[in-house]
Amino acid sequence: MATRTPSGRRVGAVRRELSDLLGSTGVLPQSASTPEEARELLARDGAVVVAEPTPGPEALPVVAAQVYGDRLRQLFAVRPLRQQSGELLGLHSDGAYVVVDVHGRTVALRDPDEDGLLQRCVRPAPEGGDSFLVDGYALVDALATGCPELHAFLTGTDVDYFGGWASAPHEVPRTPLVRRLVEHTRAGRRVVRASETAVPVPREPRAAEHDAQLDLWADVLATAVDVVPHFRLEAGEVLVVDNYRCLHGRDPFTGQRNVDVLTVLTADAW
């Protein structure tokens, strides 16, 4: 079963008995040559790869505008990630709570409900660092028949989404963020989430039972990483992901790996 790191992250264990159930949930994003094709593939598969229109991090807002068009509502700051090495980054969904006060005005630098993710490969790692995607909709549908108790928990139980941090960074709210790992927006759009720091809500009388289900969810995700296809982004490629549908992660790597990341809110968020 799942274990915890000193920081409070929940790390799942591979469960071979779940391999057949999860093997078909992986996503290998196809490449698009036009914005129209990119929109079609994103809607169909939950992810798509496009070529950067111009070199540099400014490519990400341009790609976002091309792919989302007039549905684009808010861009957050481009995050340059420059790493010399990295451990396995398991399946997760993006989203963070970062709010600052600027001269008495509350400004959101990130949002827990970001529904679009763009990642530009600047320099792939010389060894490792491949990406993987899981179609969260297919995964949850598979669990409905293959693991109904976990499905009922994911769709029907609130959790404290960031509550497991042993020493919470600045983007984790002091007030618990209570939500379900699978729920729907007010417009009916399904959201599938994964957080390594989710814990039972405060003072939950069935906390031990809920914690066991969160461990099982972590095991499901770890097993999915083990059985779905992995793929490599090359320099100049931009991966666009439906952050409400697809969970994503990457393999461990050594050597320099440089990527730029942008998250967005569209008119279909919330």
Side-chain angles (χ1 to χ4, degrees):
M1 294 291 288
T3 59
R4 282 192 180 276
T5 68
S7 68
R9 291 180 178 272
R10 194 185 303 261
V11 181
V14 174
R15 303 269 293 268
R16 297 298 177 190
E17 69 273 18
L18 298 173
S19 296
D20 290 342
L21 179 68
L22 306 176
S24 62
T25 62
V27 176
L28 276 177
Q30 295 188 18
S31 297
S33 56
T34 66
E36 293 76 17
E37 184 183 12
R39 284 192 287 271
E40 292 174 1
L41 290 173
L42 182 62
R44 188 190 74 184
D45 301 332
V48 64
V49 174
V50 301
E52 61 181 12
T54 57
E58 61 271 17
L60 289 178
V62 173
V63 171
Q66 291 175 340
V67 172
Y68 294 107
D70 62 2
R71 306 299 292 170
L72 189 61
R73 289 294 180 267
Q74 186 172 356
L75 298 171
F76 296 99
V78 174
R79 308 194 304 274
L81 303 181
R82 306 292 185 261
Q83 298 172 298
Q84 181 60 38
S85 63
E87 298 179 347
L88 173 73
L89 182 60
L91 285 166
H92 64 283
S93 48
D94 263 36
Y97 188 88
V98 186
V99 176
V100 297
D101 187 290
V102 180
H103 290 282
R105 179 183 178 187
T106 300
V107 178
L109 302 183
R110 294 285 306 279
D111 192 284
D113 290 306
E114 298 156 349
D115 64 326
L117 166 71
L118 296 89
Q119 179 177 298
R120 169 180 171 259
C121 180
V122 181
R123 177 180 179 180
E127 182 178 350
D130 289 357
S131 300
F132 43 84
L133 291 166
V134 163
D135 185 340
Y137 295 171
L139 174 60
V140 171
D141 291 345
L143 293 175
T145 54
C147 200
E149 186 176 352
L150 177 59
H151 181 272
F153 172 80
L154 296 173
T155 58
T157 304
D158 287 334
V159 299
D160 181 356
Y161 197 67
F162 293 125
W165 280 108
S167 55
H170 67 278
E171 67 264 26
V172 178
R174 299 298 186 267
T175 302
L177 176 60
V178 175
R179 56 180 18 177
R180 295 178 183 179
L181 292 169
V182 179
E183 57 186 2
H184 291 78
T185 68
R186 60 188 176 85
R189 186 177 175 193
R190 182 159 52 158
V191 186
V192 178
R193 301 188 178 98
S195 167
E196 296 171 318
T197 58
V199 294
V201 298
R203 299 185 179 182
E204 167 57 54
R206 301 169 65 185
E209 178 183 330
H210 291 182
D211 213 38
Q213 291 297 326
L214 287 168
D215 279 350
L216 179 55
W217 179 228
D219 289 349
V220 165
L221 299 178
T223 305
V225 171
D226 190 61
V227 299
V228 302
H230 295 207
F231 60 94
R232 186 174 181 82
L233 286 178
E234 299 296 343
E237 292 184 324
V238 177
L239 173 67
V240 185
V241 178
D242 181 343
N243 194 46
Y244 281 7
R245 176 178 173 181
C246 286
L247 308 176
H248 64 281
R250 58 140 177 82
D251 290 328
F253 65 92
T254 56
Q256 189 67 35
R257 180 179 185 267
N258 297 342
V259 299
D260 293 328
V261 178
L262 172 70
T263 49
V264 305
L265 286 169
T266 77
D268 301 313
W270 302 311

